[in-house]
Amino acid sequence: MLRLACTHAPSSASYINSSRILSHAVFRRVNSHSLVINRGRNIAQIPFHDRSPVLVRFRTSRNRAAGVVSFSMASGGEGPGTSSPSPYKYSNRLSKEKSPYLLQHAHNPVDWFPWGQEAFEKAKSEDKPIFLSVGYSTCHWCHVMERESFEDEEIGKILSEHFVCIKVDREERPDVDKVYMTFVQATSGGGGWPMSVWLTPDLRPFIGGTYFPPRDSGRRPGLKTILSRILEQWQGNREALESSGERALEALRKGTTIAANEGQTPPSGPDVANRCFQQLAHSYDEDYGGFREAPKFPSPVNLMFLMSFWAENRTTSEGAEALEMALHTLRMMALGGVHDHVAQGFHRYSTDSSWHVPHFEKMLYDQAQLAVAYITAYQVSKEQFFADVARDVLLYVSRDLSDKSGGFYSAEDADSLPTPESSEKKEGAFCVWTAAEIRQLLSEIVEGATGGATKADIFMHHYGVKEQGNVEPEQDPHGELLGQNVLIVRYSEELTATQFGLDVERVNEILASSRTKLAEVRRARPPPHLDSKMLASWNGLMLSGFACAGAVLGDKALLKRAEEAARFLQKHLWDEGDRRILHSCYRGQEMEVEQIDSPIAGFLDDYAYVVAGLLDLFEATQAVEWLKWAEELQQKQDQLFWDDQGSGYFCSDPSDPTVLLRLKQDQDGAEPSANSVSARNLLRLSHLTGKQEWMERCQKLLAAFSDRLVRVPIALPEMVRGLMALHYSLKQIVICGQPEAEDTANLIACVHTLFLPHKVLLVTDSDTDGFLYQRLPVLSSLRPLEGKATAFVCQNFTCALPVTCPEELRRLLLE
């Protein structure tokens, strides 16, 4: 795969204006192949290759020392323990941890500490710099660096003797990751994982980067060299080193501040939405869909914005274009190799522009958001194709990422052993096929097919399988996919049927049975590493996926799975005593759910995503318990993270002294910003509970992000959706009737079949003592007509005439 960036987003720094944060960069590009490094008075050049970009900043002098070394590489994953013998020669404190990523480093010859007071106190008492290494368990280059450097005894000895070494799972401690990634991005212009940062004992960063090779390669400095130079500066020029780090941190504090001015109001919703649409249209690929050039990421936040934009601009050419952009992208992704045609689900991203050759990692948060995007595409288009893809995603998650407790695991790795006898993992080995394998597996001749074609002939034609492999060398610079095929739909079923003189139904049967056969063979291959960590935030996103799809499809099994996920969150990631969400839990060796000794308190993402999931589940099932819990969680989120001075929510608890920057995430990337999600949560809750203060809080939040929304709304498409919802006002759809009655179910189904991005749905049963009537007394005035289930559509405190017919309700909702 193209080794471009070990990142979870299209570009971790795509919209970071680093010049407004730090303006003292000390490297400069000489030409397309080299960078200048200033080392005091000595100047050297490091080769710069387009395929493996290197950003290097390292400057030392008598009066000043600072540095950032950043090697942007590709993401991937290698399972734990692939090269560690048993019994282990080394063990460190990480062996007592639960995080799969930390456990992968438990037997390095490095004296690793987890993030915590023990490490901080050691650094202070021994007056040593801290080496902070951040990654995640399915990151390819994290494991490359482990194998090359952290399993190297010489490097391990240097690290252990001269530094306090801390290993962090970015998914377990996103607060720590955000702070130091902000530093690396601002000082180098890029970022990614593994992230390597050197800190003072009081946790202030002074040098940072991403992947480092173990030793010098040509003019590229290796980790051993960098460690030596840092030690020289720490011992001989420490004051300047610390001063530079402090200046950088202070600049970051100023540069990352997001706040509303006194009396400031949100910007114009339509104006911001139009600008966001124009910016997306400018970067849109008309041939294959998606945005920007390769590597291409799914970016569900963009697609959901475009469909929401269409919903408010149905009669305009811009609205039609927005819908076409979204549907074409979703279609091309589903047909491409980024979609797993054999075992379902979506890979992390495509290394090319045509969605063909993916990075094979699978992340829970991608599946969650894509399930919602595809079921939304089904709502707006009524094409069964999109509903089938949504079901496909949920099938994969139910089968491969689900715990018996109801929770969802975090990820599957990209790399695996090609065969049980192999000693070295390769990216995609679990997923790819040679032509010879397929010919052997699908050798049966198809009766009536032109030229005596076999199932293999039909399958290979349809999915673009070539005898020599279908991966171009530029998509496989490391030769891992030589002779292999990534399945990609090259022809429609109709064209394939014509090619072989068969009817479409017969071709579909052949393709389906062939995929089933390949799936059976794949299950016998060595599986990729599974990150069985369960996160509240990502489980909240997946809760939305099952709830939304279940509601639209009227599928009780999907809704039951959503409720199981909600109960898992209540049982395992909710601290009943402190009434707080916990961030993570883990699968134990006996397949039971485990917790660490000091559970990690939930972050803003955990609250925002879970609240959104609960609101989706409430609207899908009308079970009031989920609305009650969402209300409680929102109140707790406000208490813990709201900025009373500048408005908006901090990403983590601002009272934590170990987190040096009080950040408010201002980008919707691979995951939406929790502030973006919270904007819509607050609006929905204000209409579902009647609490006007949540409407006001939403307005203040959007005002705090006004500058970002006006200048680069493409950075916050999910927040733009919230701004649109505020501008157009939510519709309150109230259905009065007996919940189990057929006429009530028909009206509810009518609502769920439509994409109404700015609405809330309530079903009442005339129980005036119930929770909904207590929160919304106006419901008491709404009654069924003539004993029939009746729908009321209200907006801006005005209700349309009641209707009892689903067709009339549909017409009313689409006006």
Side-chain angles (χ1 to χ4, degrees), residues 432-437 465-472 476 479-486:
V432 295
W433 306 88
T434 64
E437 283 179 295
V465 175
K466 298 179 180 179
E467 298 294 340
Q468 71 277 18
N470 68 4
V471 179
E472 297 297 328
D476 184 30
E480 293 174 297
L481 300 177
L482 187 64
Q484 301 286 346
N485 288 272
V486 176

Side-chain angles (χ1 to χ4, degrees), residues 631-667:
E631 182 183 47
E632 180 178 2
L633 293 182
Q634 187 62 56
Q635 291 170 339
K636 194 68 175 182
Q637 175 183 321
D638 295 347
Q639 175 189 335
L640 291 172
F641 305 108
W642 182 256
D643 178 6
D644 288 322
Q645 281 72 48
S647 298
Y649 294 99
F650 293 113
C651 293
S652 58
D653 187 345
S655 65
D656 186 345
T658 67
V659 180
L660 303 184
L661 294 176
R662 304 172 72 187
L663 296 172
K664 300 174 188 174
Q665 187 177 355
D666 61 351
Q667 180 172 340

Side-chain angles (χ1 to χ4, degrees), residues 94 97-104 169 172 533 586 596:
L94 301 186
E97 296 296 309
K98 303 293 185 185
S99 158
Y101 177 63
L102 299 188
L103 289 172
Q104 288 169 353
D169 181 342
E172 193 178 55
K533 178 173 69 269
Y586 310 84
I596 56 178

Side-chain angles (χ1 to χ4, degrees), residues 344-654:
Q344 298 81 45
F346 280 81
H347 299 297
R348 185 64 204 94
Y349 61 80
S350 174
T351 65
D352 56 79
S353 62
S354 62
W355 303 106
H356 179 197
V357 182
H359 165 50
F360 291 89
E361 179 183 17
K362 288 181 178 177
M363 305 300 300
L364 179 65
Y365 58 73
D366 281 327
Q367 317 308 319
Q369 295 175 85
L370 286 169
V372 174
Y374 276 100
I375 205 63
T376 301
Y378 170 65
Q379 284 180 300
V380 302
S381 70
K382 306 308 177 193
E383 291 187 46
Q384 187 62 37
F385 172 81
F386 294 114
D388 291 344
V389 178
R391 285 190 181 276
D392 169 288
V393 171
L394 298 177
L395 171 61
Y396 161 70
V397 173
S398 296
R399 185 190 65 231
D400 293 345
L401 294 183
S402 285
D403 187 80
K404 65 180 181 180
S405 66
F408 301 108
Y409 303 136
S410 293
E412 276 195 314
D413 214 329
D415 294 10
S416 60
L417 295 171
T419 68
E421 296 74 33
S422 301
S423 59
E424 183 177 347
K425 292 188 176 187
K426 291 185 178 181
E427 181 165 9
F430 188 67
C431 302
V432 295
W433 306 88
T434 64
E437 283 179 295
I438 292 176
R439 290 201 180 281
Q440 182 180 3
L441 291 170
L442 307 176
S443 59
E444 180 183 348
I445 295 176
V446 177
E447 185 178 348
T450 302
T454 64
K455 285 187 175 181
D457 293 324
I458 296 171
F459 187 88
M460 292 168 66
H461 173 81
H462 190 75
Y463 286 107
V465 175
K466 298 179 180 179
E467 298 294 340
Q468 71 277 18
N470 68 4
V471 179
E472 297 297 328
E474 55 266 29
Q475 260 62 60
D476 184 30
H478 299 273
E480 293 174 297
L481 300 177
L482 187 64
Q484 301 286 346
N485 288 272
V486 176
L487 303 184
I488 179 171
V489 176
R490 290 300 191 189
Y491 302 97
S492 66
E493 289 88 349
E494 291 78 9
L495 285 174
T496 297
T498 299
Q499 175 73 17
F500 293 96
L502 300 169
D503 60 48
V504 173
E505 184 177 357
R506 179 65 177 134
V507 164
N508 280 328
E509 290 174 358
I510 292 169
L511 295 176
S513 64
S514 298
R515 290 193 301 268
T516 299
K517 181 65 174 178
L518 266 61
E520 292 173 359
V521 172
R522 186 191 282 191
R523 282 194 290 273
R525 293 175 174 177
H529 160 67
L530 173 70
D531 188 323
S532 58
K533 178 173 69 269
M534 290 169 273
L535 304 176
S537 55
W538 295 0
N539 273 257
L541 289 174
M542 200 67 245
L543 169 57
S544 287
F546 276 94
C548 292
V552 173
L553 297 173
D555 189 319
K556 292 183 179 179
L558 296 180
L559 293 178
K560 180 182 177 182
R561 183 66 186 89
E563 290 189 308
E564 289 173 357
R567 299 202 185 283
F568 159 79
L569 286 163
Q570 276 188 325
K571 182 177 181 180
H572 297 289
L573 289 171
W574 172 242
D575 186 331
E576 187 70 31
D578 290 340
R579 313 300 291 176
R580 293 179 66 148
I581 282 184
L582 302 176
H583 175 62
S584 56
C585 60
Y586 310 84
R587 187 182 73 180
Q589 293 183 351
E590 303 300 324
M591 301 297 288
E592 75 284 8
V593 177
E594 292 184 343
Q595 188 53 267
I596 56 178
D597 293 338
S598 298
I600 301 169
F603 304 105
L604 177 62
D605 288 4
D606 298 306
Y607 285 85
Y609 297 171
V610 172
V611 168
L614 292 173
L615 294 179
D616 289 333
L617 182 57
F618 165 70
E619 292 202 34
T621 64
Q622 292 298 308
V624 172
E625 63 177 307
W626 306 125
L627 177 58
K628 289 181 179 178
W629 196 28
E631 182 183 47
E632 180 178 2
L633 293 182
Q634 187 62 56
Q635 291 170 339
K636 194 68 175 182
Q637 175 183 321
D638 295 347
Q639 175 189 335
L640 291 172
F641 305 108
W642 182 256
D643 178 6
D644 288 322
Q645 281 72 48
S647 298
Y649 294 99
F650 293 113
C651 293
S652 58
D653 187 345

Side-chain angles (χ1 to χ4, degrees), residues 108 164 178 247 332 422 438 496 502 631 664 731 807:
N108 297 156
V164 173
K178 283 186 176 79
R247 286 196 301 273
M332 296 306 291
S422 301
I438 292 176
T496 297
L502 300 169
E631 182 183 47
K664 300 174 188 174
K731 290 180 180 178
E807 289 73 21

Side-chain angles (χ1 to χ4, degrees), residues 197-266:
V197 190
W198 284 264
L199 322 175
T200 62
D202 56 1
L203 306 181
R204 284 164 168 72
F206 56 87
I207 294 175
T210 55
Y211 164 80
F212 296 100
R215 289 169 177 80
D216 299 352
S217 176
R219 294 181 178 178
R220 175 184 293 183
L223 180 60
K224 184 180 176 184
T225 298
I226 292 165
L227 292 173
S228 175
R229 292 176 184 162
I230 290 173
L231 284 174
E232 289 175 6
Q233 293 301 309
W234 184 256
Q235 294 164 3
N237 202 15
R238 178 171 170 176
E239 183 178 348
L241 200 67
E242 292 179 329
S243 176
S244 176
E246 182 57 39
R247 286 196 301 273
L249 198 61
E250 183 58 32
L252 287 173
R253 288 194 185 98
K254 295 178 180 178
T256 57
T257 298
I258 295 172
N261 297 321
E262 185 68 30
Q264 186 175 359
T265 58

